[in-house]
Amino acid sequence: MTALLKSESPHVTPAKSKGPKFKRNIGIMAHIDAGKTTVTERVLFLAQKIHKTGEVHDGAATMDFLEEEQKRGITIQSAATTCDWNGYTINIIDTPGHVDFTAEVERSLRVLDGAIAVFDAKNGVEAQSETVWRQADRYGVPRICFINKMDKIGANFDFAVQTMRDRLGARPVPIQMPVGAEKDFAGFIDLIRMKFVTFPADGDGRAYYEQEIPEEHLDEAKLRRHDMLEVAAENDEELLDLFVEDAVIPEKMVMSALRKATLSLDACPVLAGSALKHKGVRFVLDAVIDLLPSPVEITEIEGHDPATDETITRKPTVDEPVSLMAFKTIAEPTGDLTFVRVYSGKLEKGTKLLNPRTRKTERIGRIVRLHASKREATDMVPAGDIAAIIGLKNTVTGDTLCDDNAPIMLQKMAFPDTVISMSLEPKRSQDRDKLSEIIGRMMREDPTFRAQTNEATGQLVISGMGELHLEVLIHRIEGEFKCMVQTGKPKVAYKQRLRKGLETEARYVRQSGGRGQFAVAHVRFEPVETEDNGFEFVDGIKGGSVPREYIPAVGNGLREFHDGGGNTGFPFINTRATLFDGKSHEVDSSELAFHAAGVLAFRQAVANNTVLLEPVMKVEVRVPEEYLGSVVGDLNSRRGEVSDVDSQGDLRVVRAMVPIAEMFAYSSALRGATQGRGQYSMELAVYRDVPASIGAKVLAGEN
């Protein structure tokens, strides 16, 4: 038995230089409690970025530095860090697993080149695992998978891998075969090198033992290697020839073919271990280097010319004009801290860059590299790197910054709709301005947090992704910003749609002795599927019945009513409004009058012509079998539709679609019904029409 202590990876040669080829930009993603932050903690320890590991359950994890994260033992906001491994630089973003903070995952995956998907060895693919997997699919992010908690009671590697096939439609390819499970988890067989790897008792993850495969595991290891080589052979003709001839295949050739399969999204290599017990994480780091792409291996970044809307591309090199994307903002008293990914060129201190959305330039003041809450100043960031800029004035999440002489607007990010809302007001009237400032700051930081004043009541209403999301934000307002507030009961964030299409004539005519206001707008309304479920304004004026300078004002008035929701405050979705005729007065007409006519046209169109929509959640409940009947019955009583019930060891997994209006305080109800042994998760699935009887109560303010 040969011990390799703190050695180089067996199949990675350390880099001689620090060019973009030797960088990796990765995220760590998973369902809540699968062990993402613990994996990150072990990675930083192995890379000697930290010298002692802090545990999530003790509130001492390096990456969970917010007070709320330490109190709750969960990740709330994504945190960035950088470390070195065998001559490579790895930029890491640790993302949240709770569905209420899914925007953090969305914006991180938008700018990353690869990801580690972490799965619980007992539970396999869980509800939020599916969500983050689909997000990674949307941005074409190559992944490797780590089956964590192999020492947990009920751990089952093959089950976890099968759930990836069944629930994700993925093609997992194990490159390791775990030996034992639960308390008998001994280590794994490396199917590429065909070696048996074990770990010292109470080791720190750096040392491991390597030996020949024991006779009792050899046949199974050969079968699993054969399955792995089948996938590899699809990506390398030379390897295919050797595979068919049953010849010896060099390790480098296997790794190269698996890398091709990973980068083309054809396969996802799977590893196993226990991050908490320091088992196997160093091999995940090796796989990041071996199998995930460097910034220069990603395809050219695509965007469009802000002036012509023509598609243009940038290569990920320092020779191209600079382009970067802001993917996260933290509002601070000294100036916003804006996380950016540099896609081309060089980000340099002191330069001026154009924001195509605002058409304004931003001066780049201080640039910093991040390690959780710590910062290190730098003067230049090359293409392919991630850093942060302090003090940008008009740049928000999703904005592009680029060379003024070579403008490009990169693809924006899409964020899910809010699902619940509540009223909010300060306990002391003198704190109103302070609260407004805090809310503005939080909205800059979090694109899924919304706030607006209800026209009918004058109340400030905040909206978010779930009860936990709003609860955390309110605790931050009171704890971090020292502004005491009082809140109303959580309410569903309903939406509205038009029941049917119609045409309306809006006449806004006012006489007050002097110059009057005159505008007539004929608008056709249609309920349609728009690109972002929003509002589409069409200029259908022919013959100049409405002067060109007033047409945008009509559109702005229509959009204002559409987004504000009128008397109910519930915003509309999927509406096309076509201005096809109108009248003006050469003296009394103005932009203000036509704006008001647009508002009036929409108000007339919705009279007795709306359908209320409610968010319906995809709910997954895990319970012991003896509580299955009562849990299913309870979900049915909540207007739920149970789609399937799976067995998972001694547990039953119930999946259902339930309106969020029926899910408030569900955690305490589930706890009571299962004696604290049930767990659930939920995420937004779709908006559906509210039944007429319930809709009438909502509109009457009874619900």
Side-chain angles (χ1 to χ4, degrees):
M1 186 179 286
T2 307
L4 300 175
L5 294 172
K6 201 181 170 184
S7 67
E8 291 175 6
S9 165
H11 45 266
V12 172
T13 305
K16 303 293 183 194
S17 71
K18 285 286 187 178
K21 209 168 143 185
F22 301 103
K23 282 194 172 68
R24 299 290 183 271
N25 296 315
I26 65 162
I28 301 184
M29 61 185 207
H31 185 88
I32 192 169
D33 285 339
K36 298 174 307 305
T37 302
T38 304
V39 169
T40 311
E41 202 76 7
R42 299 302 181 262
V43 164
L44 296 177
F45 176 71
L46 288 166
Q48 299 183 19
K49 190 80 179 185
I50 58 175
H51 302 291
K52 179 186 174 187
T53 55
E55 305 305 344
V56 175
H57 50 264
D58 295 331
T62 306
M63 303 298 276
D64 286 351
F65 56 85
L66 286 183
E67 186 182 340
E68 281 293 314
E69 293 177 316
Q70 293 167 352
K71 274 189 202 165
R72 296 170 186 272
I74 62 171
T75 302
I76 289 169
Q77 71 171 22
S78 52
T81 189
T82 302
C83 66
D84 292 317
W85 183 251
N86 286 343
Y88 289 74
T89 298
I90 306 175
N91 292 319
I92 302 171
I93 297 182
D94 174 32
T95 63
H98 197 286
V99 68
D100 283 17
F101 309 105
T102 191
E104 293 287 335
V105 187
E106 180 81 25
R107 57 187 173 187
S108 299
L109 287 172
R110 169 65 181 83
V111 299
L112 293 171
D113 303 326
I116 303 169
V118 181
F119 299 92
D120 184 305
K122 178 183 177 184
N123 298 327
V125 172
E126 299 174 84
Q128 190 64 7
S129 313
E130 289 188 58
T131 304
V132 297
W133 194 269
R134 305 287 175 234
Q135 288 171 313
D137 280 343
R138 183 157 60 248
Y139 294 117
V141 178
R143 280 141 276 177
I144 59 174
C145 304
F146 181 55
I147 308 294
N148 191 25
K149 304 188 180 183
M150 280 300 301
D151 54 347
K152 178 181 179 179
I153 293 172
N156 185 328
F157 179 82
D158 291 332
F159 163 78
V161 170
Q162 190 58 44
T163 62
M164 292 171 63
R165 295 189 185 100
D166 296 342
R167 296 192 61 186
L168 302 177
R171 193 184 189 189
V173 181
I175 60 174
Q176 295 174 352
M177 174 187 129
V179 175
E182 302 180 342
K183 63 180 175 53
D184 298 323
F185 176 57
F188 61 82
I189 292 166
D190 183 331
L191 298 175
I192 296 172
R193 296 179 300 120
M194 290 300 276
K195 295 290 184 184
F196 180 35
V197 175
T198 58
F199 305 92
D202 303 321
D204 63 3
R206 293 187 173 122
Y208 61 93
Y209 298 107
E210 191 177 278
Q211 60 182 319
E212 296 306 313
I213 300 170
E215 192 66 35
E216 65 268 27
H217 298 300
L218 190 56
D219 287 344
E220 186 184 355
K222 285 178 178 176
L223 281 171
R224 292 186 182 236
R225 175 177 165 84
H226 182 276
D227 292 342
M228 177 193 73
L229 290 175
E230 269 190 331
V231 177
E234 293 174 15
N235 293 271
D236 189 309
E237 287 188 16
E238 189 182 348
L239 191 155
L240 177 60
D241 292 339
L242 294 173
F243 179 63
V244 170
E245 293 165 10
D246 205 18
V248 175
I249 303 174
E251 291 168 17
K252 280 187 179 178
M253 186 182 290
V254 176
M255 189 61 74
S256 173
L258 286 172
R259 182 182 179 83
K260 283 181 193 171
T262 307
L263 299 196
S264 65
L265 306 184
D266 184 48
C268 303
V270 183
L271 301 91
S274 168
L276 187 64
K277 298 294 174 60
H278 299 270
K279 294 180 178 179
V281 175
R282 62 162 295 137
F283 295 92
V284 176
L285 267 173
D286 290 340
V288 166
I289 302 302
D290 291 345
L291 298 170
L292 292 180
S294 70
V296 294
E297 289 174 296
I298 63 170
T299 55
E300 293 181 345
I301 189 70
E302 196 172 276
H304 65 268
D305 187 315
T308 65
D309 215 29
E310 184 184 332
T311 299
I312 48 178
T313 58
R314 292 277 187 274
K315 292 176 183 169
T317 67
V318 292
D319 304 323
E320 290 271 298
V322 63
S323 66
L324 51 121
M325 171 165 277
F327 67 94
K328 179 179 170 67
T329 300
I330 297 178
E332 298 183 336
T334 55
D336 287 1
L337 178 73
T338 306
F339 292 56
V340 296
R341 160 69 191 264
V342 183
Y343 280 103
S344 62
K346 292 183 286 189
L347 169 65
E348 294 181 293
K349 184 178 175 182
T351 57
K352 285 188 176 179
L353 296 179
L354 173 71
N355 182 332
R357 179 184 63 84
T358 63
R359 295 194 171 97
K360 294 180 180 175
T361 56
E362 292 267 24
R363 188 178 179 281
I364 307 304
R366 293 173 58 201
I367 307 172
V368 294
R369 295 186 182 276
L370 299 157
H371 172 52
S373 59
K374 296 175 183 166
R375 299 164 193 178
E376 178 187 323
T378 185
D379 291 337
M380 192 276 289
V381 182
D385 226 333
I386 289 172
I389 304 169
I390 297 174
L392 295 181
K393 305 290 185 196
N394 302 298
T395 299
V396 297
T397 297
D399 278 356
T400 303
L401 291 175
C402 59
D403 188 327
D404 199 359
N405 297 316
I408 184 173
M409 185 176 278
L410 304 175
Q411 177 198 350
K412 291 184 178 178
M413 292 179 243
F415 295 107
D417 292 319
T418 57
V419 294
I420 73 165
S421 57
M422 62 172 62
S423 61
L424 180 74
E425 60 181 57
K427 286 186 176 174
R428 302 186 311 166
S429 58
Q430 58 263 46
D431 283 343
R432 279 190 189 283
D433 290 344
K434 182 180 179 182
L435 180 60
S436 294
E437 190 181 315
I438 295 166
I439 293 293
R441 171 177 172 171
M442 287 182 154
M443 286 174 69
R444 289 205 307 280
E445 290 187 357
D446 184 350
T448 59
F449 172 59
R450 315 271 160 78
Q452 63 182 51
T453 302
N454 185 304
E455 281 183 23
T457 64
Q459 284 183 314
L460 177 67
V461 177
I462 59 172
S463 305
M465 297 304 298
E467 289 179 275
L468 179 62
H469 186 200
L470 293 185
E471 186 184 319
V472 165
L473 289 169
I474 288 160
H475 282 189
R476 281 190 67 198
I477 290 169
E478 295 192 325
E480 192 177 321
F481 300 107
K482 312 299 181 199
C483 179
M484 305 312 290
V485 294
Q486 52 193 32
T487 61
K489 287 170 66 175
K491 293 184 177 180
V492 178
Y494 292 101
K495 294 185 184 296
Q496 301 179 83
R497 68 172 177 84
L498 293 176
R499 188 187 304 277
K500 62 182 180 180
L502 50 76
E503 293 180 2
T504 181
E505 177 189 1
R507 301 179 63 85
Y508 186 77
V509 182
R510 299 287 185 274
Q511 291 297 333
S512 55
R515 178 179 172 178
Q517 297 286 348
F518 183 92
V520 178
H522 293 255
V523 184
R524 182 184 305 112
F525 291 90
E526 301 166 273
V528 294
E529 291 289 330
T530 58
E531 187 179 330
D532 57 356
N533 292 335
F535 174 73
E536 180 184 343
F537 174 63
V538 179
D539 172 8
I541 292 294
K542 294 188 174 97
S545 56
V546 175
R548 307 307 305 169
E549 64 266 27
Y550 297 145
I551 292 172
V554 178
N556 291 337
L558 290 163
R559 185 178 294 278
E560 181 183 297
F561 191 94
H562 176 277
D563 295 346
N567 293 336
T568 65
F570 303 137
F572 286 84
I573 65 167
N574 292 339
T575 308
R576 178 189 294 144
T578 303
L579 175 65
F580 65 91
D581 200 0
K583 292 178 185 173
S584 65
H585 188 281
E586 58 186 35
V587 175
D588 290 348
S589 288
S590 64
E591 285 189 15
L592 182 65
F594 275 96
H595 181 281
V599 172
L600 180 60
F602 213 130
R603 193 182 302 279
Q604 291 173 182
V606 302
N608 300 314
N609 187 33
T610 59
V611 176
L612 208 57
L613 302 164
E614 64 181 345
V616 177
M617 312 301 284
K618 184 164 69 174
V619 179
E620 183 173 291
V621 188
R622 293 170 185 260
V623 291
E625 187 168 9
E626 60 263 37
Y627 304 113
L628 178 63
S630 61
V631 165
V632 170
D634 181 53
L635 289 173
N636 287 333
S637 73
R638 295 171 183 267
R639 294 196 283 137
E641 301 168 11
V642 176
S643 55
D644 65 280
V645 179
D646 282 350
S647 297
Q648 189 178 310
D650 57 348
L651 293 179
R652 295 293 175 266
V653 182
V654 183
R655 297 186 185 94
M657 300 282 277
V658 191
I660 197 173
E662 309 293 342
M663 291 297 290
F664 288 134
Y666 181 66
S667 54
S668 54
L670 181 64
R671 228 178 0 255
T674 62
Q675 297 182 8
R677 296 169 66 193
Q679 292 180 313
Y680 84 103
S681 60
M682 65 178 182
E683 63 175 309
L684 177 63
V686 68
Y687 267 81
R688 285 185 185 162
D689 292 0
V690 177
S693 58
I694 295 173
K697 289 181 181 177
V698 172
L699 293 173
E702 297 173 28
N703 223 16

